């Protein structure tokens, strides 16, 4: 997006906000960076977010989801209205989860992670009290999507030759293709949650909401390469916070979560490799600040650790665990070389 386009978007958001709320905008900030869809709008007495997405249909879908969930859940932003292509929503807080989890100590991290997981289950529970299951799109339910998702593990082959050929790809596609019965927020990366002044963690960015198994939301969080907790710790937390009202037994739920995370981790791995080739490695601080893809060897190693752990939990995906481990060793080698190069 050009500088001129950004200025026009910002001017439109400010003008619409002043018309919608009937008061003067004092300043506007962009916590996620100038290129993102949402702006933080500061009035004298409050701050709100104005969201202008490239696809106005997603804006209206997000507004609909927030309005339907609001009577049943306080762990989301409140939709404050839609005017034209812009949605206004409440400010859930400036303490982004991806930064809070990084600065917290070991015990604090586990408590915050448990709250994040609990909030996801609570939002899904609230959705079951609405008619969203009758109205939202089914996600990942076409063969092309499933093919691309499962075949993503092929990106590991250059780092672990000939091992992914041992898995039954057709069987895995059948296993991953789930009918959409449960509301999912989607994109539950840690940068899409924040802690408010009331110390409550809330999730935001619901424009990709739809229907699927339900475990995908937990997979997005655990499979966030910048998420600093170990896969075993996260598995323990999900087990502890599990909501039996989700329609699955705990055993079946964890099996599907592990299956989905295997392929989700491969997709994140692909993204890291692609962006590293395009832009080079980025600093961890910058990645966290702008909630960017984890284009850093340490984050690459983390997603491979997640992939190794969860792939090993299902017999059908166990061979892929070796691929992830081989790729993790590659990232660890990059980290070691970097330390040697700086004399650390």
């Amino acid at each position: 997006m050009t500088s001129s386009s950004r200025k026009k978007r910002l001017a439109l958001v400010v003008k619409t906000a002043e018309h919608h709320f009937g008061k003067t905008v004092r300043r506007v900030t962009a916590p996620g960076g100038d290129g993102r869809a949402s702006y933080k709008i500061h009035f004298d007495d409050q701050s709100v977010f104005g969201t202008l997405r490239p696809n106005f249909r997603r804006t209206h879908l997000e507004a609909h989801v927030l309005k339907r969930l609001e009577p049943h859940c306080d762990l989301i932003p409140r939709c404050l209205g839609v005017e034209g292509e812009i949605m206004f929503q409440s400010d859930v807080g400036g303490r982004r989860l991806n930064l809070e989890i990084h600065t917290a100590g070991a015990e604090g991290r586990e408590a915050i992670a448990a709250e994040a997981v609990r909030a996801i289950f609570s939002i899904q529970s609230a959705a079951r009290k609405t008619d969203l299951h009758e109205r939202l799109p089914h996600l990942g339910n076409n063969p092309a999507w499933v093919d691309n998702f499962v075949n993503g593990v092929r990106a590991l082959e250059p780092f672990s030759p000939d091992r992914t050929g041992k898995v039954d790809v057709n069987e895995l596609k059948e296993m991953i293709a789930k009918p959409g019965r449960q509301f999912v927020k989607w994109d539950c990366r840690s940068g899409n949650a924040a802690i408010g002044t009331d110390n409550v963690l809330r999730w935001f960015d619901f424009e990709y909401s739809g229907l699927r198994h339900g475990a995908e939301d937990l997979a997005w969080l655990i499979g966030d390469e910048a998420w600093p907790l170990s896969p075993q710790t996260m598995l323990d937390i999900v087990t502890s916070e599990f909501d039996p009202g989700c329609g699955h037994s705990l055993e079946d739920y964890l099996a599907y979560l592990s299956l989905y995370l295997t392929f989700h981790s491969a997709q994140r791995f692909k993204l890291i490799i692609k962006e590293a080739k395009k832009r080079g490695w980025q600093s961890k601080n910058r990645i966290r600040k702008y909630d960017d893809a984890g284009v850093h060897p340490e984050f690459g190693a983390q997603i491979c650790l997640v992939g190794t752990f969860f792939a090993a939990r299902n017999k059908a995906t166990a061979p892929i665990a070796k691929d992830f481990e081989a790729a993790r060793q590659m990232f660890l080698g990059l980290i070691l070389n970097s330390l040697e190069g700086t004399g650390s």
Side-chain angles (χ1 to χ4, degrees):
M1 185 184 298
T2 65
S3 175
S4 175
S5 297
R6 286 196 292 269
K7 288 179 180 179
K8 287 180 180 178
R9 288 178 81 254
L10 177 57
L12 176 60
V13 170
V14 169
K15 179 180 178 181
T16 307
E18 291 185 336
H19 178 267
H20 186 78
F21 292 96
K23 48 191 176 183
T24 302
V25 172
R26 295 305 180 190
R27 64 190 177 98
V28 178
T29 55
D34 289 339
R36 297 295 176 91
S38 292
Y39 296 94
K40 188 170 184 176
I41 302 164
H42 302 260
F43 298 107
D44 285 331
D45 58 346
Q46 69 177 134
S47 61
V48 303
F49 274 86
T51 302
L52 174 58
R53 302 196 184 282
N55 186 331
F56 77 92
R57 291 183 179 84
R58 291 204 177 277
T59 301
H60 285 266
L61 181 146
E62 182 174 20
H64 176 73
V65 167
L66 293 179
K67 288 176 181 177
R68 298 299 294 136
L69 289 175
E70 183 179 346
H72 310 285
C73 185
D74 183 39
L75 302 178
I76 58 173
R78 288 180 295 109
C79 177
L80 304 177
V82 179
E83 192 162 325
E85 298 181 12
I86 300 174
M87 180 186 73
F88 296 102
Q89 55 187 305
S90 60
D91 179 4
V92 297
R95 295 160 56 195
R96 287 277 183 110
L97 174 59
N98 60 334
L99 298 175
E100 289 291 308
I101 199 76
H102 170 64
T103 57
E107 290 186 8
R109 283 181 176 179
E110 290 191 23
I112 294 170
E115 185 178 2
V117 169
R118 195 180 311 124
I120 289 172
F121 278 124
S122 295
I123 292 168
Q124 292 184 349
S125 176
R128 293 194 290 273
K129 300 172 185 176
T130 73
D131 61 353
L132 288 174
H133 63 283
E134 299 174 358
R135 298 177 177 274
L136 291 182
H138 291 230
L139 303 178
N141 68 332
N142 65 75
W145 187 93
V146 174
D147 285 350
N148 178 71
F149 189 61
V150 172
N151 283 317
V153 296
R154 299 299 183 196
L156 297 162
E157 288 182 349
F159 309 94
S160 181
D162 302 327
R163 284 178 175 155
T164 48
K166 296 180 181 179
V167 300
D168 187 335
V169 174
N170 290 327
E171 177 190 9
L172 292 171
K173 289 177 183 177
E174 291 180 7
M175 292 170 68
I176 209 70
K178 287 289 182 180
R181 297 195 177 102
Q182 172 62 56
F183 171 86
V184 286
K185 173 196 174 292
W186 210 252
D187 197 9
C188 285
R189 291 173 303 122
S190 56
N192 287 334
I195 299 172
T197 55
D198 56 359
N199 290 320
V200 173
L201 183 150
R202 294 177 174 86
W203 286 96
F204 55 86
D205 278 0
F206 283 75
E207 76 271 21
Y208 293 111
S209 296
L211 304 172
R212 218 172 186 281
H213 176 279
E216 294 86 357
D217 281 348
L218 275 301
W220 274 96
L221 176 61
I222 300 169
D224 177 352
E225 59 273 11
W227 190 245
L229 281 81
S230 74
Q232 180 64 64
T233 298
M234 289 307 300
L235 183 66
D236 293 342
I237 289 172
V238 172
T239 300
S240 176
E241 300 298 333
F242 178 70
D243 178 6
C246 71
H248 304 280
S249 69
L250 175 61
E251 181 180 3
D252 288 347
Y253 188 93
L254 294 181
Y256 188 76
L257 174 65
S258 299
L259 175 75
Y260 193 89
L261 257 169
T262 299
F263 301 105
H264 181 84
S265 298
Q267 293 293 330
R268 298 306 298 179
F269 172 83
K270 280 176 59 178
L271 179 62
I272 290 169
I273 296 297
K274 175 185 174 182
E275 292 298 313
K277 289 179 178 178
K278 185 194 307 184
R279 300 186 284 146
W281 298 114
Q282 306 292 308
S283 77
K284 290 184 289 184
N285 287 339
R286 187 186 189 284
I287 290 167
R288 293 188 183 102
K289 179 179 179 180
Y290 293 109
D291 186 29
D292 203 355
V295 189
H296 188 283
E298 286 187 25
F299 293 156
Q302 170 68 14
I303 199 60
C304 288
L305 179 65
V306 171
T308 300
F309 179 88
F310 285 100
R313 297 192 74 251
N314 280 325
K315 182 179 179 181
T317 56
I320 304 173
K322 298 177 182 179
D323 301 343
F324 276 115
E325 178 56 26
R328 188 173 80 93
Q329 292 302 320
M330 177 271 293
F331 282 122
L332 293 176
L334 291 175
I335 296 168
L336 181 61
N337 289 339
S338 174
L339 292 175
E340 291 176 347
T342 58
S344 301

